[in-house]
Amino acid sequence: MRKPVYLDNQATTPMDPRVLEAMTPYFLEHFGNPHSTTHSYGWTAEAGVEKARRQIAAVIGADAAEIYFTSGATEANNLAVKGTMQALGAKRPHMVTLVSEHKCLLESARSVELSGYRVTYVPVQENGLVDLAVMEAAIGDETALVSVMAVNNEIGVIQPIAEIAEIAKARGAVFHSDAAQAFGKINLNVDTQHIDLMSLSGHKIYGPKGIGILYKRAERRVAVTPQMSGGGQEKGLRPGTLAPAQCVGFGEAAEIASREMAQEEGRLRTMMERLKASLKAKMPAVIINGDEDMRWVGNLNISFPGLDGELLLANLRDLALSSGAACASAVSGPSYVLKAIGVDERTAKASLRLGIGRFTTDEEIDFASETLIKTVTKMGGLKP
Ligand SMILES: *Cc1c(COP(=O)(O)O)cnc(C)c1O
């Protein structure tokens, strides 16, 4: 049996062999504790970690001192949301976010609500994008934090974060962005886009799992209360011994992604256009979810009206894809993101997320479109 074609690059990406190569010495040879200051084992490990910090900072126009390693974007989002509300919430007890954020951001927002802060969940339009006027109306003088993701993990739309951040800044609020799906794929710059806090993840950019960062602007108004007690690592914001191999891997992955960004985007765009064209030619009733222009080219979220969603997935064993976010598919039920853009429940269930990436080939694209067309035909075709 052949392995299914991997089309779930929004859930995670395979590791780039160049990343593994950079990491390997830090498991065996350079095993020191990066926080040991009295010998060369510690210094070597620390040097690796600090290089990674500079590599990541360079991609987003930040200072290395503003990068705080975490276990991933989930932890960074928790730290940004809970930590900011705890630090600033006494004076400004309100937070604004989007209904279509990643589950871990929404759950962090629920948690601060339970602590007594107010949260406004701004809706998105049918194209998945926020209406700037609605966003502006939601942000007030009591708003401590505005958190809006850069690229949506389910439907791939790119939110106008620079415009939103400017509104937040004018009201004196801190702006956070979950950029796990955007980092290394579209241009991000913390200064030109007025970003105060940003969450990133290693395993979405062909790096290792279990590592991420919180970018925190070095300004007093950007205050975040730590969520763990420990030995003061990462300037006390995120204590615990760092994992040098993971940090080094994330740094290398960031540098590669940044260097090859334009070239990779072009290649993915060509493949995605081909995939979309062949699907639409044979199945004109197929619906593309999310704005067609303001989107990351590696993501295609499509609905197959009239089909049974569970049966569809069961018939697609040759393709490794998902019907929504990986983290939400453990809990069954249709996607809340598709619901937020007005897709009815039955159609939402008959929807697929196709995520192509660095290692996707033209042959795999052709196999995927042939398989999808064959399966839908076998199931009786679309009934719009
Ligand atoms: C994957 C992802 C996360 C979670 O990142 P982890 O590093 O796996 O914790 C958060 N937000 C978005 C948008 C993601 O795509």
Side-chain angles (χ1 to χ4, degrees):
M1 205 189 91
R2 61 177 283 170
K3 272 202 260 178
V5 169
Y6 190 71
L7 295 171
D8 210 4
N9 281 277
Q10 270 86 51
T12 195
T13 53
M15 206 187 322
D16 191 305
R18 294 171 289 182
V19 171
L20 180 62
E21 198 179 320
M23 290 171 71
T24 305
Y26 290 86
F27 287 112
L28 296 171
E29 226 176 304
H30 310 320
F31 64 87
N33 184 324
H35 314 293
S36 297
T37 54
T38 51
H39 50 70
S40 64
Y41 295 92
W43 305 331
T44 309
E46 191 202 11
V49 168
E50 294 312 314
K51 181 184 175 194
R53 214 187 288 281
R54 289 192 299 274
Q55 286 171 311
I56 295 162
V59 180
I60 57 173
D63 211 62
E66 297 171 311
I67 304 296
Y68 297 83
F69 284 107
T70 65
S71 63
T74 299
E75 190 190 336
N77 282 344
N78 272 264
L79 189 51
V81 170
K82 296 174 188 174
T84 301
M85 294 315 293
Q86 284 166 20
L88 305 174
K91 289 212 175 88
R92 289 172 165 258
H94 180 231
M95 161 182 175
V96 175
T97 190
L98 290 188
V99 292
S100 54
E101 291 288 315
H102 191 273
K103 192 85 184 152
C104 67
L105 196 295
L106 292 176
E107 289 300 317
S108 297
R110 293 273 176 240
S111 163
V112 300
E113 268 189 294
L114 289 175
S115 304
Y117 303 109
R118 274 189 307 120
V119 179
T120 301
Y121 300 89
V122 174
V124 290
Q125 306 171 90
E126 265 187 31
N127 62 2
L129 297 172
V130 68
D131 179 331
L132 284 175
V134 177
M135 178 53 79
E136 181 154 24
I139 306 171
D141 297 337
E142 293 215 317
T143 310
L145 177 69
V146 176
S147 179
V148 176
M149 70 199 322
V151 170
N152 186 276
N153 51 300
E154 285 192 46
I155 57 175
V157 295
I158 304 173
Q159 299 292 351
I161 53 168
E163 287 81 351
I164 299 165
E166 223 170 341
I167 299 168
K169 193 178 175 186
R171 299 271 159 83
V174 167
F175 181 75
H176 167 256
S177 185
D178 173 356
Q181 295 286 343
F183 180 61
K185 292 171 184 157
I186 62 171
N187 281 315
L188 291 171
N189 184 291
V190 293
D191 287 334
T192 61
Q193 296 177 311
H194 317 290
I195 299 164
D196 298 316
L197 295 165
M198 182 156 58
S199 304
L200 307 177
S201 175
H203 73 96
K204 304 292 172 74
I205 60 158
Y206 312 95
K209 293 171 184 59
I211 187 78
I213 63 115
L214 178 67
Y215 156 78
K216 179 178 157 299
R217 183 177 290 284
E219 276 180 26
R220 272 188 55 168
R221 64 179 181 84
V222 186
V224 178
T225 301
Q227 300 299 303
M228 290 199 294
S229 312
Q233 295 92 345
E234 299 300 87
K235 290 178 247 165
L237 184 60
R238 201 283 190 174
T241 304
L242 287 173
Q246 307 301 94
C247 298
V248 165
F250 189 12
E252 195 64 23
E255 192 180 313
I256 294 169
S258 171
R259 195 172 58 224
E260 300 179 356
M261 189 186 295
Q263 184 195 347
E264 187 159 305
E265 210 237 48
R267 203 179 71 86
L268 292 184
R269 188 176 292 280
T270 306
M271 282 199 292
M272 188 54 91
E273 289 308 323
R274 201 159 90 193
L275 177 60
K276 268 201 288 201
S278 68
L279 294 179
K280 274 183 153 173
K282 291 278 164 47
M283 303 182 286
V286 75
I287 299 163
I288 297 180
N289 297 309
D291 196 80
E292 288 224 36
D293 299 318
M294 287 300 290
R295 66 182 304 114
W296 160 239
V297 292
N299 170 292
L300 181 66
N301 191 304
I302 42 176
S303 296
F304 300 89
L307 290 195
D308 179 315
E310 271 162 46
L311 207 58
L312 177 64
L313 263 184
N315 278 323
L316 288 172
R317 292 279 155 77
D318 291 338
L319 305 180
L321 38 70
S322 79
S323 57
C327 37
S329 50
V331 205
S332 65
S335 145
Y336 63 85
V337 175
L338 293 182
K339 192 175 162 201
I341 62 170
V343 179
D344 68 82
E345 193 170 320
R346 195 179 142 80
T347 309
K349 279 186 181 163
S351 302
L352 300 173
R353 179 182 69 178
L354 282 72
I356 62 172
R358 183 174 295 166
F359 302 106
T360 308
T361 64
D362 288 334
E363 292 71 39
E364 288 176 327
I365 290 287
D366 292 342
F367 179 78
S369 66
E370 279 161 29
T371 306
L372 282 166
I373 293 161
K374 222 164 54 192
T375 306
V376 170
T377 308
K378 196 176 83 183
M379 289 176 69
L382 304 182
K383 297 164 199 76

